[in-house]
Amino acid sequence: MKITEIRRYPVKSMLGEVVPAAEVDERGLAGDRLWAVRDPDGKFGSGKNTRRFRRMPGLFQLRAYAARPAPIVELPGGARFAADDPAGHRAVGELLARAVTLTPEQDVPHHDEGPVSLITTAALRRLTELTGGEPGGAGVDPLRFRANLLIDVPGSGFPEDDWLDRPLRVGPDVVLRPVRRLTRCTMIDMAQDRAGQRDDLLKAVAEHHDLTFGVFATVEQPGRITTADTCSWA
């Protein structure tokens, strides 16, 4: 097993970035989902409605890049601003047709379920078999699942189901412990970046895998990971 892709999302529910390496601590990948869009009611922008989150169509038109002291947000036309820039808040609000601010995480993490999310190439192959993949004959695009790590595993199926509560060493330093399968929502069918709108992926995941795809893990040992790293059982 090895890492084939590392993704982070500096602003929750916006498009993110593929990176060659990342620092990992108890919270997860450094800078991942550290900021979020917040409305006047105190709810954070998401692809779904929950007690803490509010669905805000249009967030997938924005892309965020990690930077200090605040991420850089890119508008559809290419204009960029820092996430702590009030002028940028107004621009995002105009796009979303609501008043919003961009705010860093406080006491409660912005993650939906856990610190580090993982999917496998084997599971993507299985979902491709079930749905026919993307238009043009490509396999189901991993970016639909907004996972931090894509791990290359031979074959087809859902091998990560057997990973729960097993320490997984990633590279020379990091140890993750997969905790629970990830429950999916309509976001996996939404158009984002190069992946077009669909209406069948969530249905297939529900019918064939209890509405779950991938797992999330806690961090037992921090360190640095790269796309050259192999994965093994600790």
Side-chain angles (χ1 to χ4, degrees), residues 87-186:
H89 298 183
R90 290 191 291 272
V92 172
E94 291 175 2
L95 179 71
L96 302 178
R98 67 181 74 216
V100 297
T101 57
L102 275 68
T103 182
E105 182 177 282
Q106 301 296 326
D107 297 330
V108 180
H110 288 152
H111 300 114
D112 285 347
E113 297 197 56
V116 181
S117 53
L118 304 87
I119 60 174
T120 68
T121 56
L124 288 170
R125 290 186 199 100
R126 180 58 183 145
L127 190 56
T128 297
E129 292 167 359
L130 294 170
T131 64
E134 303 289 352
V140 172
D141 199 318
L143 71 80
R144 293 185 177 278
F145 300 93
R146 301 176 63 81
N148 295 128
L149 304 182
L150 173 61
I151 299 178
D152 187 28
V153 180
S156 170
F158 300 100
E160 61 273 19
D161 290 356
D162 297 325
W163 295 2
L164 302 185
D165 207 34
R166 298 178 64 189
L168 178 67
R169 184 174 295 279
V170 182
D173 301 320
V174 174
V175 177
L176 306 176
R177 184 178 290 272
V179 175
R180 190 169 69 236
R181 295 193 293 174
L182 282 162
T183 301
R184 295 299 174 174
C185 67
T186 56

Side-chain angles (χ1 to χ4, degrees), residues 8-16 31-38 43-49 52-64 73 92 95-96 110-112 143 146 185 187 190-193:
R8 68 181 169 199
Y9 298 88
V11 179
K12 180 178 173 57
S13 297
M14 291 185 185
L15 299 178
D32 183 54
R33 296 170 171 92
L34 193 59
W35 287 64
V37 177
R38 184 173 65 185
K43 291 200 171 186
F44 298 105
S46 179
K48 58 187 176 183
N49 292 311
R52 292 185 60 224
F53 302 124
R54 172 163 288 155
R55 186 169 184 269
M56 296 186 188
L59 284 173
F60 280 171
Q61 298 180 56
L62 300 162
R63 186 181 298 277
V73 174
V92 172
L95 179 71
L96 302 178
H110 288 152
H111 300 114
D112 285 347
L143 71 80
R146 301 176 63 81
C185 67
M187 288 183 75
M190 293 179 183
Q192 54 177 304
D193 205 0

Side-chain angles (χ1 to χ4, degrees), residues 211-225:
L211 204 62
T212 66
F213 192 92
V215 295
F216 83 81
T218 55
V219 180
E220 294 201 340
Q221 185 170 301
R224 181 177 175 82
I225 58 174

